Amino acid sequence: FALQWIAFIPAYLKKTEKFYDLVGGMSFISVVWLCLLLAPVQSLRSIVLFLMVVLWAGRLGIFLFIRIQRSGKDSRFDAIKQSFPRFLIAWTVQGLWITFTLAPVMAVILSGREHGADLFFVVGSLVWLFGYAFEFIADLQKFRFKSDSDNKGKFIKSGLWSVSRHPNYFGEITLWVGVAIIALPVLSGWQYLTLSSPLFIYCLLRYISGIPMLEKSADKRWGDLKSYQEYKRSVPLLVPAFRWPTH
């Protein structure tokens, strides 16, 4: 929270959201790094979880920073950044997001319990890898699509975007499910509450800050197009629908 509030000061003075996501990514990395330093025991599980967070947060933070530098702004902040309390709330909510999202990772790293590689570790790692790859590929496909001047004003419906309207969010939710699976055997007592992390991320992206805003914006831009109406009708909102080719 301190990192968000410190970053908020220059952001508000300059009325900019350009380093909002970058600070978020750096905060994830800073928190798990500090946890690892304070941990009484540095087990294989805690080191792997640390690396997973660093890889995810580093890639996503840099990707979103580059994207906003190219686009010039994030339309979600157009009105918010002009208001001191509303902009401060946005930065504070990012602190909440980091706290709830990282809860199982912090619980495992700081638990002091050693737990070797077991079935939960293997399955969770595979789920995390699948989710990470899914999010990475979806982001890359959309980035390349929007970088092509021939696609200006068009919506993407190819690659992973042909099986889900928000494949990057599906990948993100999935990778945190993987983290929860890895964490499960180490937790005890009240720590089991940290397993709500993937549910929190799902609710945040599905109902609050992610999908609703993007769907509303897309409907405004392309809602009158028959091709977009067909795309919405045939492609699931979040969970991909893989179809076997028909002849």
Side-chain angles (χ1 to χ4, degrees):
F1 280 95
L3 288 171
Q4 310 316 305
W5 293 332
I6 291 170
F8 161 76
I9 297 171
Y12 177 73
L13 293 175
K14 292 181 177 293
K15 299 293 190 293
T16 180
E17 70 280 19
K18 287 188 176 180
F19 49 92
Y20 181 83
D21 293 310
L22 186 63
V23 171
M26 291 170 59
S27 299
F28 271 98
I29 294 171
S30 299
V31 169
V32 291
W33 178 72
L34 182 59
C35 285
L36 201 64
L37 287 180
L38 296 174
V41 175
Q42 294 183 357
S43 64
L44 172 64
R45 219 179 203 89
S46 62
I47 292 173
V48 168
L49 286 172
F50 166 79
L51 292 174
M52 285 177 170
V53 172
V54 170
L55 283 173
W56 170 80
R59 185 206 70 82
L60 188 61
I62 293 171
F63 169 75
L64 294 176
F65 180 70
I66 293 173
R67 188 179 70 178
I68 200 170
Q69 292 300 313
R70 294 186 61 171
S71 62
K73 68 170 187 174
D74 185 334
S75 58
R76 296 175 301 170
F77 290 88
D78 286 349
I80 295 175
K81 64 186 176 185
Q82 305 302 325
S83 166
F84 182 93
R86 291 180 68 190
F87 202 28
L88 179 59
I89 288 172
W91 283 88
T92 304
V93 167
Q94 179 157 258
L96 279 172
W97 169 54
I98 294 165
T99 302
F100 283 110
T101 302
L102 274 184
V105 177
M106 291 189 288
V108 170
I109 294 177
L110 295 172
S111 69
R113 303 185 192 99
E114 292 193 59
H115 207 290
D118 54 12
L119 185 60
F120 287 97
F121 180 85
V122 174
V123 172
S125 297
L126 292 175
V127 172
W128 183 91
L129 282 170
F130 174 78
Y132 181 86
F134 211 89
E135 182 179 30
F136 177 83
I137 293 170
D139 282 339
L140 183 61
Q141 288 175 342
K142 190 170 186 179
F143 184 80
R144 287 177 173 174
F145 179 86
K146 297 187 77 172
S147 297
D148 188 342
S149 57
D150 291 339
N151 295 324
K152 187 175 182 180
K154 299 178 182 179
F155 64 92
I156 183 171
K157 55 180 179 179
S158 57
L160 294 181
W161 300 84
S162 67
V163 295
S164 168
R165 302 209 300 274
H166 301 279
N168 53 335
Y169 288 159
F170 172 76
E172 180 154 334
I173 294 166
T174 301
L175 71 87
W176 287 108
V177 169
V179 167
I181 293 171
I182 294 172
L184 180 58
V186 183
L187 305 178
S188 64
W190 287 98
Q191 291 177 340
Y192 285 117
L193 291 177
T194 65
L195 295 176
S196 64
S197 170
L199 179 61
F200 166 77
I201 297 164
Y202 169 78
C203 292
L204 184 68
L205 295 177
R206 175 62 183 86
Y207 298 108
I208 303 174
S209 69
I211 291 175
M213 291 183 177
L214 292 174
E215 287 287 302
K216 183 178 179 180
S217 176
D219 288 343
K220 187 176 180 180
R221 294 183 66 183
W222 304 298
D224 295 333
L225 297 178
K226 288 185 178 180
S227 58
Y228 181 71
Q229 293 170 10
E230 175 59 29
Y231 175 69
K232 284 194 69 173
R233 189 162 46 247
S234 60
V235 177
L237 182 70
L238 182 63
V239 180
F242 296 102
R243 302 178 182 87
W244 292 104
T246 56
H247 299 283

